[in-house]
Amino acid sequence: MSQQGYVATPPYSQAKPGLGGYSTGFGSQPHYAHYGGTGQPYSAAQAGLLKPVPSPHVPSVSAGHPTPAPSPFGQTHLQNGIYNPGNQMPSYAAPPPCSGQTAPLQSHGSNSLSNYQNTAPPLFTQQVTSQLGAMQISDHGSSQVHPQSSPLSGPPLRPTFQGSQPQQLLHPISSPTSQGLPSAVPAATVPPGMPPPSPVGMHVGLAGPNQGSVGYQQVPGQPPMTGYLPQQGGMYGGQQRGLQPNYPAAYPGAPATGAQLAGPQQKKLDPDSIPSPIQVIEEDKLRRSGQLFVTNTKGQVPPLVTTSCVVQDQGNASPRFIRCTTYCFPSTADMAKQSQIPLAAVIKPFAILPPNEAPLCVVSHGESGPIRCNRCKAYMCPLMQFIEGGRRYQCGFCNCVNEVPPFYFQHLDHIGRRLDHYDKPELSLGSYEFMATLDYCKNSKPPNPPAFIFMIDVSYYNIKIGCVKLICEELKTLLDKLPREDQAETSAIRVGFVTYNKVLHFYNLKSSLAQPQMMVVSDVGEMFVPLLDGFLVNVHESRPVINNLLDQIPEMFADTSESETVFAPVIQAGLEAVKAAECSGKLFIFHSSLPTAEAPGKLKNRDDKKLVNTDKEKILFQPQSHFYETLAKDCVANSCCVDVFLFPNQYVDVTTMGIVPMSTGGSLYKYNNFQIQTDAEHFLNNLRKDVQKPIGFDAIMRVRTNTGFRATDFLGSMYMNNTTDVEVAAIDCDKAITVEFKHDDKLNEENGALIQCALLYTNVAGHRRLRIHNLTLNCSSQHADLYKSCETDALINFFAKSAYRAILNQPLKTVREILVNQTAHILACYRKNCASPSSAGQLILPEAMKLLPVYMNNLLKSYVLLGSPDLPTDERAFQRLLVTSMDVVGTQSFYYPRLLPIHKMDVNSEEFPAAVRCSEERLADGGIFLLENGINMFLWLGLNSQPELIQGIFNVPSFAHINTDLISLPELDNPYSRKIRSIIANIRNQNPYSMKLIILKQKDKSEGIFRQFLVEDKGLHGGASYVDFLCYVHKEIRQLLT
Ligand SMILES: [Zn+2]
């Protein structure tokens, strides 16, 4: 290989100084129940950095188009599409079999209408009732409904609510004692005459109404009742503060167990009697698994993310693309404020659709580009109402009446629907794509295909751990699998390679060369790319040269003693290459250490455990210099996405090094103390997934809504240059952006709440596209409607992302308090406005939110929010970044891991064994359990595991013979082995991240790392058990209601 030193004037300047960091950034003042006002992590927008793209998303009234005055929706207007204000029957209910292309089957339509209502079908009610019948009831149950003892003064229940909530049942369970402490009053003290099912929410009798109201009630400002005296448990010490609990503050490290709380005499609250995530998940599966979910109805609550079903798009985006915290918005801001339920949508624009669902159609509206509303710029969609014989249409978002362009004209049928309704995806479907015209391209030029640049740290440590050789070997085959357009034979993506330690090495891989040429840039202060021609090449054309290089790299640096690395200049180099090639791109950086070499972005070890649990703890989550923020901004402006694979053996300041991936839509992977024998496969699986992922580049997302509310806040791995446009250098199929909505007016109950998400991007072939997702939600002035349409999994996604951002500005203690307060408020508002009068001693939870406390407690106990000096700062920062881009599936399993009793698996069935609750109590000495949370996976072996199963899975005669160093299970030809390996493979396939399997035995020293995932128990590093948290929330609710 020829090698030449390069000392040249940089032809491309790097990030200009003076562009400013985002110093004003990271949010806003703490205020109750909401995190961070503007919300943009980087709010110091610099006009000069705006992309030169004339963003078609920016609403502007074009001078060339007359903008008709908004006309109220006249009754004379004929109805069309699902925007259907005057028509009771959605036009989708009985689609005419006209053109057939997208016409749904009649049976599907009717099926969906009957089975997919918000209210539970009778079957479900019966199931729950029978379960309750079998349930043991504690002695306070007989007096559960005591209107006269209720402190509530809420309005009487409305008949509509009562009638529509058959699934909400009285759920009395064991009770605390008269001191208000959790206790285990022996169950079944109530005779079979069960308390009558109540039409209201789930009742959890945490305190017997007879005595409970005494035991729990506490006058704000007064010392707490004896049972909660801080001395006793050292925990809920803040009762004196009345409505301001400092429960969370007492969290970290506090021995917050129910037992301690309750004192030695107290018995424990029966865990079987409090809402079980497993039961909720299984019941939803029973009701909806394997069914067709037809999206033809406004405000339909989809099945849970844990239930698999087939989605048929009939006018609303699939829940795979958009999930909402509630499918019924409150009609006014006041009502929203009362309930404090966040109104948010978790949008995953590139979600992968399973093979049995129709892929998105691509629509072309010709040279003039997609048809859009003149006023609000919303794209043509099922929410546009055609009127005047089809010559005009009224925008469902802003009511503006627009002319239909002559080429698009079509007659209407007798119900006012265009005759070509089912021929046009943009009229009949919730999700589709438009071909974008040059107006939508940077500098009005068609984009070039994107580039992938592989940048390998070849310092001493990375060579020593075998990482460099591993990467080079893998790339030889992986380069054949770069993403490509569906029909394309080869990928259009060009590739480039850089190696680096303190200096950078670029490689000329022009196909005409016999050998790759290396060019060294040692002046890392002013990074530039020393070659244009030959750096980014077509894999197919340059294959021999690329392979030659990948063979040579490990050898070239095999004897290196260089241990210092740079990091920011590596990103700058990739960025400059992408800029020079006038394309978008993705950098894959494989890096091991804190970049301490003298260069821009040099970092120092600033980890400081003493900050934990102080007001300065937030510093650990703020980057140590603004340099990386500026760099991230520059990357986004030039559509350069950055993925970083970290191989640290000590602190590397993940917070700072993760800024660029996090702001550009990239990913961060971390392999602590990487060992080739045990971690190679795990890493390679992640790399393979990452490289092959469906992805869109140079993306701008805009969320439009109808009058009455708007998108106000955005959470995710992205960048905001202004308050409305989400910018990402690239967005892949696993990234989700959570959008919060706020009222700016009253919502019309008839129209509902309409959302259109438009994502402009460049696909892997270099074609500019607009991906549109539409969703219609209900709207109501009744709290009950709001509460029954909530989705806890989506709520937790929102709470997690907003809390993880809030810790940049606020002490963790404050953030935890806000979360607990908001939980109590949400549940208290339900109690006040929706539940039938009953004893104050009962905890009443809305059916759709009965898991909110358990998930919330697990969020509070997560590494990020826990504030324990035992937890590595890098690990906390890493989890924070992971969650920030997660979808609802990701946060659901992350905050409530799946625990599968392998010893109960049915080897003759395709199904997984039914999961059990994440608590030590559910483990059994004779059992084998698989636990996974989307990131980690464990196989736990009970001391008395069945020898037959051990033989089948491990091929050893006994428990003692099992080698827990295995990184995968042996491939044995017996049903046990096949079944467990298929379960593991299935779980891995469903997840964006590869999970390393860790095998451990009961009572082994390493068991602790497993036990921390038993999230219903008291946390190993602090944090309350589920039971204790529920008791605490109950107390808070009662305080709010008195
Ligand atoms: Zn409009």
Side-chain angles (χ1 to χ4, degrees):
M1 179 177 300
S2 62
Q3 183 168 340
Q4 58 189 107
Y6 237 80
V7 186
T9 314
Y12 317 107
S13 64
Q14 64 174 87
K16 292 175 185 62
L19 288 176
Y22 310 162
S23 48
T24 63
F26 300 105
S28 64
Q29 297 306 308
H31 59 110
Y32 182 79
H34 178 66
Y35 300 104
T38 64
Q40 283 74 276
Y42 314 112
S43 55
Q46 293 281 337
L49 268 185
L50 265 168
K51 281 192 205 182
V53 195
S55 167
H57 291 264
V58 177
S60 58
V61 180
S62 165
H65 298 273
T67 305
S71 71
F73 223 88
Q75 286 187 333
T76 51
H77 295 160
L78 292 167
Q79 306 301 323
N80 177 68
I82 56 177
Y83 176 70
N84 215 352
N87 200 339
Q88 288 299 324
M89 197 60 191
S91 47
Y92 277 88
C98 50
S99 58
Q101 186 201 343
T102 51
L105 294 173
Q106 190 75 271
S107 60
H108 290 165
S110 54
N111 182 24
S112 71
L113 280 177
S114 57
N115 284 347
Y116 292 91
Q117 303 301 324
N118 291 340
T119 50
L123 173 65
F124 175 59
T125 311
Q126 281 165 13
Q127 281 157 358
V128 179
T129 311
S130 60
Q131 278 158 5
L132 280 171
M135 209 164 184
Q136 298 173 325
I137 309 299
S138 53
D139 65 346
H140 60 280
S142 53
S143 56
Q144 260 145 3
V145 184
H146 272 225
Q148 67 276 23
S149 68
S150 167
L152 298 179
S153 54
L157 279 182
R158 292 170 180 85
T160 53
F161 170 51
Q162 287 191 327
S164 63
Q165 303 246 327
Q167 77 274 38
Q168 297 192 334
L169 293 168
L170 192 65
H171 192 163
I173 53 166
S174 55
S175 95
T177 66
S178 58
Q179 275 81 38
L181 292 169
S183 77
V185 172
T189 47
V190 159
M194 276 192 51
S198 148
V200 293
M202 174 154 191
H203 295 219
V204 181
L206 285 175
N210 292 333
Q211 347 90 322
S213 53
V214 180
Y216 265 81
Q217 232 157 25
Q218 183 194 316
V219 183
Q222 298 275 321
M225 304 306 289
T226 50
Y228 274 98
L229 276 178
Q231 302 92 294
Q232 284 208 338
M235 187 176 167
Y236 301 142
Q239 285 83 9
Q240 290 88 342
R241 296 171 52 214
L243 292 178
Q244 282 297 317
N246 70 356
Y247 158 74
Y251 248 135
T257 67
Q260 280 170 312
L261 221 193
Q265 300 96 331
Q266 306 299 335
K267 300 169 200 162
K268 285 170 82 182
L269 181 64
D270 178 9
D272 279 332
S273 60
I274 56 179
S276 156
I278 302 303
Q279 194 183 348
V280 170
I281 288 169
E282 290 302 319
E283 281 170 3
D284 194 70
K285 277 185 189 166
L286 215 57
R287 275 203 305 143
R288 306 179 85 169
S289 179
Q291 296 183 13
L292 196 61
F293 180 72
V294 183
T295 69
N296 57 1
T297 311
K298 188 169 71 177
Q300 255 187 128
V301 183
L304 297 179
V305 286
T306 39
T307 299
S308 73
C309 63
V310 179
V311 181
Q312 191 180 67
D313 184 343
Q314 283 192 26
N316 281 293
S318 161
R320 299 185 203 286
F321 295 121
I322 307 183
R323 277 191 175 264
C324 295
T325 53
T326 176
Y327 288 80
C328 179
F329 273 26
S331 55
T332 63
D334 268 359
M335 190 180 154
K337 203 173 159 189
Q338 272 172 35
S339 75
Q340 296 205 7
I341 296 174
L343 307 177
V346 185
I347 305 177
K348 190 161 68 158
F350 284 103
I352 296 179
L353 298 178
N356 56 353
E357 292 179 13
L360 296 200
C361 302
V362 181
V363 179
S364 171
H365 281 174
E367 286 175 8
S368 55
I371 298 174
R372 311 174 64 176
C373 170
N374 283 329
R375 184 192 292 151
C376 73
K377 302 293 172 190
Y379 294 85
M380 181 52 68
C381 66
L383 307 167
M384 302 300 185
Q385 190 80 25
F386 288 86
I387 53 174
E388 295 178 23
R391 288 186 303 278
R392 292 175 163 207
Y393 68 94
Q394 183 166 28
C395 174
F397 298 93
C398 72
N399 292 331
C400 170
V401 174
N402 296 272
E403 299 287 333
V404 172
F407 79 89
Y408 200 66
F409 174 80
Q410 180 61 257
H411 291 288
L412 307 184
D413 66 13
H414 64 288
I415 57 164
R417 192 164 48 196
R418 283 171 59 118
L419 296 175
D420 60 356
H421 181 82
Y422 290 107
D423 294 334
K424 296 211 177 300
E426 75 274 26
L427 299 181
S428 52
L429 298 177
S431 301
Y432 44 88
E433 291 202 339
F434 285 117
M435 310 245 271
T437 51
L438 287 182
D439 290 345
Y440 294 83
C441 300
K442 206 175 265 186
N443 304 325
S444 295
K445 280 183 2 195
N448 290 313
F452 278 7
I453 304 177
F454 299 91
M455 317 183 86
I456 307 169
D457 165 1
V458 290
S459 66
Y460 172 76
Y461 178 74
N462 240 10
I463 294 283
K464 191 188 85 173
I465 59 175
C467 211
V468 175
K469 193 168 197 309
L470 188 69
I471 294 163
C472 290
E473 278 304 309
E474 180 63 26
L475 286 179
K476 283 188 211 165
T477 49
L478 198 49
L479 291 178
D480 291 328
K481 297 169 188 163
L482 300 180
R484 55 196 156 99
E485 238 185 348
D486 290 342
Q487 285 84 25
E489 270 183 35
T490 57
S491 173
I493 292 170
R494 289 177 297 162
V495 298
F497 297 85
V498 170
T499 53
Y500 67 94
N501 37 48
K502 265 164 73 176
V503 299
L504 276 75
H505 325 105
F506 294 80
Y507 298 93
N508 185 343
L509 301 171
K510 216 190 286 183
S511 58
S512 55
L513 293 172
Q515 283 267 319
Q517 287 176 343
M518 178 201 257
M519 296 177 191
V520 180
V521 176
S522 47
D523 180 7
V524 292
E526 289 286 322
M527 189 41 64
F528 66 99
V529 179
L531 75 165
L532 280 183
D533 192 24
F535 178 67
L536 291 176
V537 295
N538 178 297
V539 175
H540 195 63
E541 290 167 10
S542 291
R543 192 74 213 211
V545 200
I546 293 173
N547 277 359
N548 192 319
L549 172 70
L550 293 172
D551 281 336
Q552 287 193 50
I553 287 174
E555 291 168 24
M556 265 191 296
F557 301 98
D559 301 321
T560 186
S561 57
E562 184 56 67
S563 60
E564 281 197 316
T565 56
V566 295
F567 183 64
V570 180
I571 298 175
Q572 287 173 326
L575 171 63
E576 292 304 325
V578 164
K579 272 158 101 171
E582 295 183 334
C583 65
S584 44
K586 183 162 167 175
L587 314 182
F588 299 81
I589 303 179
F590 306 93
H591 190 91
S592 63
S593 57
L594 199 67
T596 52
E598 205 50 59
K602 172 185 174 180
L603 297 178
K604 58 178 190 291
N605 186 337
R606 49 99 185 220
D607 191 17
D608 187 356
K609 290 284 174 56
K610 288 196 294 295
L611 299 180
V612 174
N613 282 324
T614 71
D615 283 358
K616 290 182 178 166
E617 187 170 2
K618 60 189 179 190
I619 292 172
L620 298 174
F621 301 102
Q622 294 167 350
Q624 64 171 282
S625 88
H626 290 306
F627 185 85
Y628 285 93
E629 296 167 322
T630 312
L631 182 56
K633 198 170 174 177
D634 214 7
C635 285
V636 173
N638 292 283
S639 20
C640 177
C641 172
V642 180
D643 279 4
V644 177
F645 294 79
L646 284 173
F647 305 90
N649 65 347
Q650 56 188 345
Y651 176 79
V652 291
D653 197 348
V654 167
T655 292
T656 308
M657 293 185 75
I659 284 287
V660 179
M662 192 171 168
S663 309
T664 59
S667 301
L668 186 69
Y669 302 87
K670 186 159 75 71
Y671 309 89
N672 297 339
N673 301 311
F674 183 87
Q675 288 185 11
I676 200 126
Q677 298 83 2
T678 52
D679 299 307
E681 207 50 35
H682 174 44
F683 156 63
L684 291 178
N685 284 335
N686 271 331
L687 176 61
R688 288 169 195 146
K689 282 187 187 220
D690 194 74
V691 166
Q692 299 177 59
K693 269 180 191 182
I695 184 170
F697 293 90
D698 194 10
I700 305 177
M701 187 177 99
R702 167 66 78 90
V703 177
R704 291 185 173 78
T705 55
N706 57 335
T707 315
F709 76 115
R710 65 194 167 86
T712 52
D713 198 4
F714 301 84
L715 299 150
S717 292
M718 45 150 216
Y719 176 76
M720 299 285 293
N721 222 339
N722 54 46
T723 54
T724 51
D725 296 317
V726 172
E727 292 186 48
V728 271
I731 180 164
D732 66 50
C733 59
D734 297 315
K735 299 287 187 299
I737 291 166
T738 303
V739 183
E740 191 186 15
F741 301 98
K742 287 262 157 68
H743 287 76
D744 50 13
D745 202 347
K746 199 175 167 349
L747 271 168
N748 179 325
E749 286 190 50
E750 215 171 346
N751 293 354
L754 316 180
I755 297 169
Q756 182 178 75
C757 164
L759 184 93
L760 176 65
Y761 75 99
T762 302
N763 73 9
V764 287
H767 300 140
R768 205 78 173 136
R769 294 267 192 270
L770 270 153
R771 180 169 283 217
I772 312 291
H773 296 299
N774 303 293
L775 186 65
T776 58
L777 307 173
N778 284 326
C779 169
S780 173
S781 57
Q782 309 296 311
H783 279 289
D785 292 334
L786 166 59
Y787 277 88
K788 76 177 180 197
S789 302
C790 281
E791 204 197 66
T792 300
D793 294 331
L795 279 168
I796 287 297
N797 180 283
F798 172 83
F799 281 127
K801 289 187 183 185
S802 54
Y804 285 8
R805 185 180 63 194
I807 62 168
L808 296 175
N809 313 302
Q810 304 175 25
L812 270 72
K813 178 171 164 280
T814 311
V815 174
R816 291 190 298 255
E817 279 174 5
I818 290 172
L819 287 174
V820 176
N821 272 329
Q822 193 166 358
T823 305
H825 265 277
I826 289 172
L827 299 175
C829 176
Y830 175 79
R831 173 85 185 230
K832 188 175 169 194
N833 295 291
C834 308
S836 63
S838 62
S839 152
Q842 286 191 318
L843 173 60
I844 301 181
L845 301 170
E847 177 65 24
M849 258 189 230
K850 64 184 178 189
L851 298 183
L852 185 62
V854 63
Y855 278 98
M856 183 57 76
N857 187 40
N858 297 343
L859 168 58
L860 291 164
K861 284 199 285 188
S862 64
Y863 272 23
V864 180
L865 295 185
L866 199 53
S868 160
D870 300 342
L871 304 175
T873 306
D874 268 351
E875 199 54 40
R876 299 175 71 197
F878 179 61
Q879 292 192 6
R880 180 177 167 266
L881 298 185
L882 283 185
V883 168
T884 298
S885 65
M886 271 186 189
D887 65 351
V888 180
V889 184
T891 46
Q892 189 278 329
S893 62
F894 189 71
Y895 293 109
Y896 199 93
R898 181 155 53 166
L899 183 60
L900 301 173
I902 291 298
H903 54 286
K904 289 188 180 164
M905 67 188 176
D906 177 358
V907 293
N908 298 314
S909 156
E910 294 286 298
E911 300 292 315
F912 286 12
V916 297
R917 295 171 71 167
C918 289
S919 166
E920 190 171 338
E921 289 181 29
R922 312 289 161 172
L923 301 177
D925 288 1
I928 295 179
F929 292 84
L930 186 74
L931 183 143
E932 64 95 7
N933 71 346
I935 309 289
N936 310 88
M937 190 191 278
F938 299 93
L939 188 64
W940 182 91
L941 308 164
L943 279 172
N944 299 321
S945 305
Q946 303 155 33
E948 188 192 359
L949 208 51
I950 288 178
Q951 180 72 44
I953 297 173
F954 295 98
N955 201 23
V956 294
S958 78
F959 182 81
H961 289 83
I962 299 171
N963 173 12
T964 53
D965 294 335
L966 291 175
I967 51 164
S968 60
L969 298 176
E971 294 188 18
L972 305 173
D973 188 21
N974 70 64
Y976 297 122
S977 175
R978 279 192 297 268
K979 178 67 188 174
I980 188 172
R981 284 184 290 114
S982 110
I983 291 174
I984 292 172
N986 247 315
I987 291 172
R988 283 186 171 147
N989 273 342
Q990 291 161 5
N991 270 292
Y993 296 99
S994 147
M995 284 176 271
K996 180 180 168 183
L997 179 68
I998 294 175
I999 301 171
L1000 32 83
K1001 294 178 178 176
Q1002 186 179 8
K1003 307 266 192 236
D1004 268 6
K1005 273 184 196 159
S1006 55
E1007 209 190 359
I1009 55 166
F1010 166 76
R1011 296 213 172 232
Q1012 66 188 328
F1013 293 94
L1014 301 175
V1015 290
E1016 290 198 23
D1017 302 339
K1018 177 200 158 203
L1020 280 191
H1021 303 283
S1025 70
Y1026 175 23
V1027 169
D1028 288 342
F1029 182 72
L1030 200 58
C1031 288
Y1032 183 77
V1033 167
H1034 186 210
K1035 189 178 71 67
E1036 290 299 305
I1037 294 170
R1038 294 179 50 142
Q1039 286 188 343
L1040 289 169
L1041 293 172
T1042 47

